[in-house]
Amino acid sequence: MTPLVLVHGFMGGSAQWDGQHRAFANGREVIAVDLPGFGKHAHLPPSNSIEGFADWVIADLRAKGVAQYHLLGHSMGGMIAQEIARKDSARTERLVLYATGASGVLPGRFETIAQSKARAIADGARATARRIAATWFLDGKTAPGYEACAQIAEQASLDAIQAGLDAMEAWSGATTLKKIGAETLIIWGDRDRTYAWEQTERLWRDIPLTHLAVVPGCAHAVHLEKEDFFNALLAGFIEAGS
């Protein structure tokens, strides 16, 4: 059975996918990566480009002997997943782009990339991690999943935070969306503070073979805010391609 590869977003980590490991525990292998500079790989030097992160994931999958895979990318990880789907198209079977977009500048974000960079320097890595993690949830710091996400985010150093922001700011995949050949599911929470609808709509309209799921009453962390619903969407799409 084709494994499912999960790529976390900015200041994320593999530990945020426990619910998806549980959902697929009865058969499908789930491979949740930790990008260099983040999560369990916080000790590794981060890339400062989306393409560099994509190359790292592809090399990691090769080292693990993964021949074919379904791929999900969340947020910054969705940008990385777009690059992987183009670079490694023969091995990417189905693609899920979740709470992400085709422009790393992030128009409509809760604050600009430049503001995030400046505030990270002024406030420090830990305060930045906790502040930004709160924006991922509709209920902010009172959301049940907030504390666990904040603790994962806190593992990122100031250098990794700045490198991730640099990588996003310098990247755009808008002109190459039509080159994505994998059948793709777009998932977006209708109250996402990071990616505006215009980003989601462009993915949906420009990638040749897409399906769209808009989840009501969720922000940027649908897989934690409405775990069962998210898992049902994901499983239905992945199983349809098996």
Side-chain angles (χ1 to χ4, degrees):
M1 189 178 290
T2 305
L4 171 62
V5 175
L6 304 175
V7 184
H8 65 78
F10 179 59
M11 292 193 299
S14 62
Q16 74 185 51
W17 302 112
D18 288 350
Q20 287 61 58
H21 281 285
R22 289 191 297 269
F24 291 96
N26 291 328
R28 190 176 302 279
E29 181 184 9
V30 174
I31 302 170
V33 305
D34 285 279
L35 296 170
F38 301 95
K40 295 176 183 176
H41 285 154
H43 61 286
L44 298 179
S47 175
N48 63 357
S49 74
I50 297 299
E51 295 85 354
F53 280 122
D55 290 341
W56 185 93
V57 173
I58 292 170
D60 187 57
L61 294 175
R62 293 289 192 279
K64 289 180 167 72
V66 179
Q68 298 288 132
Y69 52 90
H70 302 302
L71 177 65
L72 179 150
H74 176 227
S75 194
M76 184 181 80
M79 302 176 190
I80 296 165
Q82 290 172 57
E83 290 294 330
I84 294 170
R86 287 190 286 264
K87 290 171 177 278
D88 210 25
S89 59
R91 296 174 185 259
T92 306
E93 293 191 11
R94 289 201 153 205
L95 175 64
V96 180
L97 298 177
Y98 157 40
T100 191
S103 174
V105 175
L106 306 179
R109 184 173 182 256
F110 59 90
E111 66 187 20
T112 67
I113 296 291
Q115 287 171 330
S116 288
K117 288 180 180 179
R119 293 191 68 178
I121 293 170
D123 300 340
R126 183 177 184 275
T128 296
R130 299 190 70 84
R131 178 178 65 81
I132 291 182
T135 71
W136 302 340
F137 296 88
L138 191 62
D139 294 329
K141 292 182 179 181
T142 65
Y146 164 73
E147 186 58 37
C149 264
Q151 289 178 18
I152 295 168
E154 285 176 341
Q155 296 176 55
S157 68
L158 183 58
D159 285 346
I161 290 171
Q162 296 288 22
L165 292 169
D166 285 343
M168 288 189 284
E169 188 174 40
W171 180 82
S172 175
T175 62
T176 53
L177 291 175
K178 295 185 185 302
K179 296 180 180 179
I180 295 177
E183 189 165 353
T184 303
L185 172 64
I186 313 296
I187 301 176
W188 181 69
D190 69 346
R191 302 290 297 277
D192 195 326
R193 300 180 180 96
T194 304
Y195 292 85
W197 161 247
E198 289 75 16
Q199 286 251 44
T200 301
E201 183 181 27
R202 184 158 196 175
L203 295 176
W204 177 45
R205 293 193 182 280
D206 287 5
I207 296 173
L209 187 56
T210 57
H211 311 274
L212 174 66
V214 177
V215 184
C218 286
H220 193 54
V222 179
H223 70 293
L224 298 169
E225 292 178 296
K226 293 192 177 179
E227 181 182 308
D228 290 344
F229 188 69
F230 179 89
N231 288 340
L233 284 173
L234 181 57
F237 177 68
I238 295 300
E239 299 304 330
S242 298

